[in-house]
Amino acid sequence: KEKILEEAVKNKVDIVGLSGLITPSLDEMVLVAEEMKREKMDLPLLIGGATTSKLHTAVKIAPVNETPVIHVLDASRSVTVVSNLLMNGKTDQFIREINQDYEKIRERYNDRSDKKEYLPIEEARENSSPVDWESTEITSPKQPGVHAIEDVTVGTLRDYIDWTPFFITWEMKGKYPAILEDDKYGEEATKLFNDANRLLDRIENEGLVQPKAVVGLFPANSVGDDVEVYADEDRSVVTARLCMLRQQASKRKGQPNKALSDFVAPKETGIADYIGGFAVTAGPEILKMAHEFEKNHDDYNAILSKAIGDRLAEAFAEYMHERVRKELWGYAPEENFSNEELIQEAYQGIRPAPGYPAQPDHTEKRTLFKLLDVENHTGITLTDSLAMNPPSSVSGLYFAHPDSQYFNVGKLDKDQIEDYAKRKGMSVEEMERWLAPNLAYK
């Protein structure tokens, strides 16, 4: 935040804009807003990026700053917002309308928050997912341990690309391949798709990137809301503890309060279960390629190459999960799904990632990266805010149980945050900072 404000003062800027890539950046935005107020900086603050929302901007950021704070849904709309902020005669009315809108949002949010009920964490644990472990067939991994993968080509990954998010990146709403025939977006989507595939052809034919991955499959059992990872089948040495969060919102009768640990056999059952982890990257070459385009003032292909890099990383995650299910873990050796079926997650098992709804705590990446020795095997590193570098990278866990599913942990009450911080050996204040968007209390 100090660098942002220093640049703003030095360059005499009119507006400060912040873009959030991952959830920890949401709290950093609040800190920037507070610092701007402390420094008496009379500048509008624009908020945008994948993790942001008008709700978060209205509830968390706007109240701490006395200057206009405005959420911008996508980059294309920033021109209109900036024009309204800087044009004489329009500015006051525009800001007044924004403030009135955000005040209504805060009122609705507070009304909902007051009505929402949360269970004590122990009561939520008593309502965990009802897994029948006695009738569950556990498959031990065919190839346990850590495996570095460097033999996967871009040609292989192209067959696993989910193109729908690619078009969303360009603000084109619709599913692939139907979007290519869409009345509104079809012509432009087809041009974009062809350009992307021409660049992919070049990347593949010239060998411009080297995708890398590391996967690990380990003996494991759940202990409370955590999962113990063991050194070997003796299960006497714990090499890592994966800490999970549990839904605390009061549920309708028959609806469980889920945690990811529910899908790993409890230690007290005596059942030998397993868990996996992975990290994949399209490689640092993607950013180098984008920078070359930028140096030549070719912003279109710079953005296109980054978008392709993201698609390759997600495709690599899909490919490796299939390979794990069929070969390395081998619990579904006869599986044979089309790419469309893979996108629809028709297979058994899940691969949730730290920072996503089922486990919103990004600090779990540190445990995962240490367990898999990710940096040495793939070159992927973690930033201070625990984003992955290169950005076109994906990491997460493998769960094999047929009942395992994705879900949203949602809001968390203070008793769970205190319990979770203790389990992780962190302070409550630090844990609150990392999980700020999930706190059910002020």
Side-chain angles (χ1 to χ4, degrees):
K1 64 180 180 294
E2 289 84 358
K3 288 181 180 179
I4 292 171
L5 301 183
E6 182 182 330
E7 287 297 312
V9 172
K10 184 172 69 176
N11 294 296
K12 298 181 180 178
V13 302
D14 297 303
I15 292 172
V16 175
L18 304 178
S19 180
L21 177 63
I22 60 175
T23 50
S25 59
L26 296 177
D27 205 38
E28 292 298 321
M29 291 176 172
V30 177
L31 297 178
V32 171
E34 290 174 340
E35 191 70 8
M36 287 178 67
K37 180 180 179 181
R38 191 179 71 83
E39 293 288 339
K40 297 181 173 58
M41 296 180 68
D42 187 21
L43 295 174
L45 178 61
L46 303 190
I47 303 296
T51 60
T52 64
S53 67
K54 184 191 281 190
L55 175 63
H56 181 267
T57 302
V59 173
K60 299 290 186 180
I61 305 176
V64 304
N65 197 353
E66 295 175 352
T67 59
V69 179
I70 303 167
H71 180 255
V72 185
L73 187 61
D74 61 69
S76 66
R77 302 187 189 185
S78 61
V79 176
T80 303
V81 173
V82 170
S83 296
N84 287 331
L85 286 170
L86 299 183
M87 288 178 65
N88 292 330
K90 284 189 175 183
T91 303
D92 291 345
Q93 177 64 22
F94 178 68
I95 293 172
R96 187 159 48 249
E97 290 174 356
I98 291 289
N99 289 340
Q100 290 170 352
D101 183 27
Y102 285 8
E103 183 59 35
K104 291 177 182 177
I105 291 172
R106 284 190 288 271
E107 289 174 0
R108 290 196 298 269
Y109 174 80
N110 290 329
D111 287 344
R112 286 199 303 269
S113 298
D114 290 341
K115 294 174 183 176
K116 198 83 170 179
E117 293 184 4
Y118 296 91
L119 301 178
I121 184 57
E122 291 302 332
E123 193 172 328
R125 285 169 179 156
E126 291 172 4
N127 190 41
S128 62
S129 305
V131 178
D132 183 1
W133 289 106
E134 293 302 321
S135 61
T136 298
E137 184 178 341
I138 304 291
T139 301
S140 58
K142 302 295 185 290
Q143 299 181 49
V146 176
H147 307 273
I149 311 291
E150 297 187 16
D151 61 350
V152 180
T153 66
V154 170
T156 297
L157 297 182
R158 291 180 77 162
D159 293 335
Y160 291 82
I161 290 178
D162 178 3
W163 285 102
T164 297
F166 172 79
F167 292 106
I168 293 173
T169 299
W170 297 85
E171 305 298 334
M172 296 184 188
K173 298 177 182 178
K175 288 190 175 183
Y176 172 82
I179 193 172
L180 301 179
E181 306 295 330
D182 185 84
D183 291 340
K184 182 178 180 181
Y185 299 115
E187 183 178 349
E188 195 62 31
T190 299
K191 177 183 179 298
L192 186 62
F193 183 67
N194 291 337
D195 288 346
N197 276 283
R198 276 192 288 271
L199 187 52
L200 268 171
D201 288 339
R202 181 188 162 198
I203 290 171
E204 180 181 352
N205 295 335
E206 298 180 20
L208 297 181
V209 303
Q210 177 54 63
K212 292 183 180 181
V214 60
V215 300
L217 301 169
F218 310 98
N221 283 109
S222 63
V223 178
D225 286 350
D226 297 340
V227 174
E228 289 184 347
V229 180
Y230 305 113
D232 51 42
E233 288 293 356
D234 184 62
R235 298 175 183 257
S236 59
V237 177
V238 177
T239 58
R241 179 179 289 272
L242 302 168
C243 298
M244 310 299 181
L245 291 160
R246 183 172 297 281
Q247 294 173 325
Q248 267 189 285
S250 182
K251 302 280 188 175
R252 296 193 306 272
K253 187 174 182 180
Q255 297 294 313
N257 291 81
K258 302 168 190 169
L260 287 172
S261 54
D262 291 347
F263 307 118
V264 179
K267 190 173 184 178
E268 63 264 24
T269 64
I271 296 172
D273 207 351
Y274 303 86
I275 198 168
F278 72 94
V280 303
T281 182
E285 299 86 358
I286 292 291
L287 271 185
K288 292 177 184 177
M289 188 185 312
H291 289 156
E292 285 300 314
F293 283 125
E294 288 168 353
K295 282 199 296 187
N296 293 320
H297 308 289
D298 187 350
D299 290 339
Y300 173 69
N301 275 302
I303 297 171
L304 188 64
S305 58
K306 291 176 184 177
I308 287 173
D310 290 344
R311 289 301 89 214
L312 287 174
E314 294 289 351
F316 203 178
E318 192 73 84
Y319 167 80
M320 284 309 309
H321 196 186
E322 180 185 65
R323 192 160 158 184
V324 164
R325 295 190 303 270
K326 296 172 72 172
E327 301 172 21
L328 300 179
W329 198 326
Y331 63 81
E334 305 302 321
E335 180 189 294
N336 185 27
F337 290 119
S338 66
N339 189 39
E340 183 178 357
E341 290 170 320
L342 291 175
I343 292 169
Q344 294 172 350
E345 299 167 357
Y347 46 79
Q348 175 184 324
I350 58 174
R351 57 172 189 274
Y356 279 72
Q359 174 50 297
D361 178 18
H362 281 274
T363 70
E364 282 296 291
K365 287 179 191 169
R366 294 171 179 152
T367 304
L368 178 64
F369 271 52
K370 184 178 179 181
L371 180 64
L372 299 177
D373 197 10
V374 170
E375 184 173 352
N376 283 332
H377 288 306
T378 67
I380 305 172
T381 59
L382 295 174
T383 68
D384 289 343
S385 60
L386 299 183
M388 287 177 286
N389 190 35
S392 296
S393 304
V394 182
S395 63
L397 300 172
Y398 293 131
F399 292 78
H401 195 280
D403 292 346
S404 60
Q405 58 189 269
Y406 297 105
F407 56 90
N408 186 358
V409 164
K411 297 293 183 180
L412 308 168
D413 222 342
K414 189 157 189 174
D415 62 338
Q416 180 168 192
I417 297 297
E418 291 173 341
D419 177 88
Y420 187 71
K422 184 177 180 180
R423 282 150 49 200
K424 287 179 67 71
M426 298 170 67
S427 70
V428 173
E429 291 75 15
E430 187 178 7
M431 207 71 263
E432 287 175 331
R433 184 172 68 84
W434 284 106
L435 292 170
N438 293 84
L439 300 183
Y441 58 95
K442 294 182 180 180

